[in-house]
């Protein structure tokens, strides 16, 4: 069973983002970290990133059709995309929301997640380890 690890807008350019918030890893390094942690746990991952809401929704529809578990960092879409929320709500296998930073400790607009109400759980604030912890949680659920 393949776990889909989806990443939303601007996460492909972690190299340009504030390293005090997002850490030192660029997206290829983050992907390698996730793949390595998944391998250690005996899990198969398909890691993707898109800046496009449409593309993310297409991937979520396919995950719903294929009953794939999902680890999802919706990035800024977390805070306002009802279209992505509705697509996440269609998933039948477990889905975990992750964030590198802790959005609740940041600007007020980041305190709302329109996604959290339709996922099994949310992990944020641990940098790349948020993904590792999500893999551990998913392994226990599938
Ligand atoms: C993020 C937090 C969001 O508020 C932000 O828009 C991102 C990344 C995180 O991983 O910490 O792009 O999802």
């Amino acid at each position: 069973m393949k776990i889909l690890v989806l990443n939303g807008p601007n996460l492909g350019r972690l190299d340009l983002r504030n390293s005090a918030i997002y850490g030192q890893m660029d997206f290829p390094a983050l992907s390698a970290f996730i793949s390595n942690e998944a391998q250690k746990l005996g899990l198969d991952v398909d890691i993707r990133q898109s800046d496009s809401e449409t593309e993310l929704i297409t991937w979520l529809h396919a995950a719903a059709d294929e009953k794939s578990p999902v680890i999802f960092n919706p990035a800024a879409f977390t805070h306002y995309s009802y279209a992505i929320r509705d697509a996440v709500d269609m998933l039948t296998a477990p889905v975990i929301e992750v964030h590198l930073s802790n959005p609740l400790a940041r600007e007020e607009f980041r305190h709302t997640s329109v996604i959290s109400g339709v996922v099994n759980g949310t992990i944020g604030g641990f940098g790349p380890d948020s993904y590792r912890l999500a893999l551990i949680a998913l392994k226990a659920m599938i």
Side-chain angles (χ1 to χ4, degrees), residues 54-73:
T54 309
E55 191 165 34
L56 289 165
I57 290 170
T58 301
W59 291 341
L60 289 164
H61 289 173
D65 288 339
E66 288 154 24
K67 299 181 174 30
S68 305
V70 176
I71 292 173
F72 190 18
N73 185 344

Side-chain angles (χ1 to χ4, degrees), residues 39-86:
Q39 203 182 346
K40 284 196 247 169
L41 290 164
L43 298 170
D44 201 8
V45 284
D46 178 356
I47 304 166
R48 302 183 196 172
Q49 188 275 330
S50 180
D51 296 324
S52 154
E53 192 175 27
T54 309
E55 191 165 34
L56 289 165
I57 290 170
T58 301
W59 291 341
L60 289 164
H61 289 173
D65 288 339
E66 288 154 24
K67 299 181 174 30
S68 305
V70 176
I71 292 173
F72 190 18
N73 185 344
F77 288 140
T78 304
H79 313 300
Y80 67 91
S81 176
Y82 300 122
I84 286 191
R85 178 197 162 99
D86 286 347

Side-chain angles (χ1 to χ4, degrees), residues 4-137:
L4 211 52
V5 183
L6 300 183
N7 295 277
N10 301 307
L11 291 169
R13 297 311 311 270
L14 285 173
D15 54 317
L16 296 179
R17 298 187 79 178
N18 186 341
S19 59
I21 293 172
Y22 294 112
Q24 303 294 334
M25 281 190 200
D26 61 11
F27 189 73
L30 176 65
S31 298
F33 171 83
I34 297 165
S35 294
N36 190 45
E37 293 303 321
Q39 203 182 346
K40 284 196 247 169
L41 290 164
L43 298 170
D44 201 8
V45 284
D46 178 356
I47 304 166
R48 302 183 196 172
Q49 188 275 330
S50 180
D51 296 324
S52 154
E53 192 175 27
T54 309
E55 191 165 34
L56 289 165
I57 290 170
T58 301
W59 291 341
L60 289 164
H61 289 173
D65 288 339
E66 288 154 24
K67 299 181 174 30
S68 305
V70 176
I71 292 173
F72 190 18
N73 185 344
F77 288 140
T78 304
H79 313 300
Y80 67 91
S81 176
Y82 300 122
I84 286 191
R85 178 197 162 99
D86 286 347
V88 171
D89 200 23
M90 294 176 204
L91 297 171
T92 46
V95 50
I96 300 183
E97 175 187 351
V98 299
H99 300 283
L100 290 162
S101 67
N102 175 4
L104 294 173
R106 300 180 61 195
E107 303 96 318
E108 201 159 338
F109 75 88
R110 298 185 203 274
H111 296 184
T112 298
S113 168
V114 300
I115 310 298
S116 293
V118 290
V119 298
N120 293 86
T122 301
I123 300 170
F126 301 98
D129 265 345
S130 294
Y131 292 82
R132 185 176 64 81
L133 295 168
L135 286 166
I136 292 168

